[in-house]
Amino acid sequence: MRKRFSQNLCALLLAAGVVAGLFQSGWNASADDSSLEQPKESEDVDEVEGIVMTEEQKELLKKISADDERVESGNLFAWQEEVLRQYEYAKEYLQGKYPSHTFEIYDCVQKSKLNSYTTFWFYADEGEESYELYLWTEGQDTEEGTEEETEESMYMSVQKDTSEYLCKDNFYCSLICDSYAEALLEVLQKEVPECVGVLTVMTSVNGEDCDETLDVNDILAGKYEITNSTRIFLDGSSGVDASELFEQVQSLIGEQRIYGAYIVIVLKGVPEDCSTGQRMWDYVKENGASSYLLRQSFQQFNS
């Protein structure tokens, strides 16, 4: 009986000690909690700071993305961030190559498993004519997008090192086509005075060497082999055989190795209002075969 009483007394004392300990712990915890610095109302731990973009950049991304709200928020996928890196590189390339001009990049097809390079389309000097820029990222390791990105960008690739970017564009063509045609006409008229007009079209992309200071005489001299399609017009009313005129032009082009693809058109006569190569070409298109004695093509590719 005494033994059982002793056991009960020990149990009561032990329980009282546990309760006191819990009470003390709770008190200390409350005191410690009151000393913690609470987050300020302005601090939002869930807020994600988006990428700040210009309106031009946003419009570009919206054209090639399915989620306009994501673009507006700046919470971009990795492949979209890569487009912006390439955009910045392309813009700097254009401004460095043509410092006297301004540019607006308005559309893009990014490098992917289906495209070996990124294509940007752009306007110059607030004009409406469109030009192309190709951007290569060859020789670089790429990584695929996350699963979240797969549906929208399953073919996109991510480039991390902009030092390996390489650009080429065709804006320079618009700066030299007319002056090139005039210079070529001058060369031709020295040997074939029946030459009355030249019209040249250039659209091929080239790198930094072909900038706004490019001299058309360097092209004629063969320093640059720029793909072009050139129409040469001759006055056939002089009495010289049309085939002979063609051979003279072809021989001269070949001797001087002036790079290009040529169409020689010997007109029956030159209307008074046809003072330029463009106007002569319009005249031929309007009147067809009745406007010329001969129309024949050849190529001069200096391999």
Side-chain angles (χ1 to χ4, degrees):
M1 185 70 171
R2 182 177 297 175
K3 183 177 180 181
R4 183 177 297 174
F5 176 80
S6 299
Q7 289 176 342
N8 291 338
L9 180 60
C10 289
L12 289 172
L13 292 174
L14 179 62
V18 171
V19 171
L22 290 174
F23 181 82
Q24 183 66 29
S25 296
W27 179 267
N28 291 338
S30 297
D32 291 341
D33 287 346
S34 65
S35 65
L36 292 175
E37 182 180 355
Q38 297 297 320
K40 298 178 181 179
E41 292 184 2
S42 61
E43 294 178 356
D44 186 352
V45 294
D46 294 328
E47 182 179 354
V48 178
E49 184 177 354
I51 296 176
V52 178
M53 293 174 284
T54 65
E55 287 303 314
E56 182 176 316
Q57 291 172 323
K58 288 182 182 179
E59 291 303 313
L60 176 65
L61 286 182
K62 287 179 182 179
K63 282 192 174 182
I64 61 176
S65 305
D67 190 344
D68 287 359
E69 291 184 4
R70 177 179 284 273
V71 173
E72 283 291 344
S73 70
N75 183 22
L76 304 180
F77 289 131
W79 71 266
Q80 293 170 317
E81 293 180 6
E82 171 62 11
V83 169
L84 289 185
R85 283 191 291 270
Q86 294 183 9
Y87 163 92
E88 291 292 347
Y89 188 92
K91 205 69 179 288
E92 290 180 6
Y93 161 87
L94 289 172
Q95 292 169 346
K97 187 176 178 182
Y98 311 104
S100 301
H101 302 269
T102 59
F103 303 96
E104 175 192 352
I105 296 176
Y106 70 90
D107 206 351
C108 165
V109 173
Q110 192 192 13
K111 177 185 176 181
S112 66
K113 293 179 180 178
L114 303 179
N115 304 306
S116 60
Y117 52 83
T118 296
T119 301
F120 287 106
W121 286 271
F122 63 94
Y123 299 122
D125 302 323
E126 300 183 354
E128 297 182 355
E129 186 171 354
S130 180
Y131 305 95
E132 293 182 349
L133 180 149
Y134 299 160
L135 185 149
W136 283 266
T137 58
E138 295 179 354
Q140 289 295 301
D141 293 330
T142 59
E143 61 181 23
E144 300 304 324
T146 63
E147 291 183 4
E148 183 185 5
E149 301 176 62
T150 300
E151 182 176 354
E152 184 175 357
S153 58
M154 63 183 297
Y155 297 112
M156 301 300 181
S157 61
V158 177
Q159 188 78 19
K160 291 185 174 180
D161 185 359
T162 60
S163 65
E164 293 299 324
Y165 289 158
L166 173 66
C167 290
K168 292 185 179 182
D169 73 284
N170 63 1
F171 175 65
Y172 74 96
C173 297
S174 67
L175 305 179
I176 64 172
C177 274
D178 290 344
S179 57
Y180 176 84
E182 292 173 1
L184 177 58
L185 177 60
E186 184 177 343
V187 170
L188 292 170
Q189 286 180 331
K190 291 179 179 179
E191 301 292 334
V192 189
E194 290 82 2
C195 288
V196 291
V198 171
L199 175 63
T200 295
V201 176
M202 298 178 181
T203 59
S204 61
V205 298
N206 270 290
E208 295 180 354
D209 288 344
C210 296
D211 60 14
E212 65 180 25
T213 66
L214 182 61
D215 189 339
V216 295
N217 291 307
D218 288 336
I219 303 174
L220 291 173
K223 184 176 179 180
Y224 301 97
E225 293 186 347
I226 297 176
T227 301
N228 66 86
S229 176
T230 296
R231 297 170 179 85
I232 299 173
F233 301 92
L234 298 98
D235 185 358
S237 64
S238 63
V240 181
D241 183 75
S243 297
E244 183 179 342
L245 289 174
F246 170 81
E247 291 174 359
Q248 289 179 19
V249 170
Q250 185 180 27
S251 177
L252 178 59
I253 295 287
E255 288 174 2
Q256 300 200 19
R257 299 176 63 81
I258 303 176
Y259 191 89
Y262 299 92
I263 299 176
V264 176
I265 301 174
V266 181
L267 300 170
K268 291 181 178 179
V270 182
E272 292 182 359
D273 61 343
C274 291
S275 58
T276 66
Q278 181 62 62
R279 184 64 191 95
M280 292 176 194
W281 177 235
D282 292 339
Y283 170 73
V284 169
K285 289 191 295 182
E286 291 168 5
N287 296 278
S290 64
S291 64
Y292 56 82
L293 299 170
L294 176 146
R295 174 175 173 166
Q296 195 166 338
S297 62
F298 70 96
Q299 297 177 341
Q300 177 61 45
F301 295 145
N302 306 326
S303 57

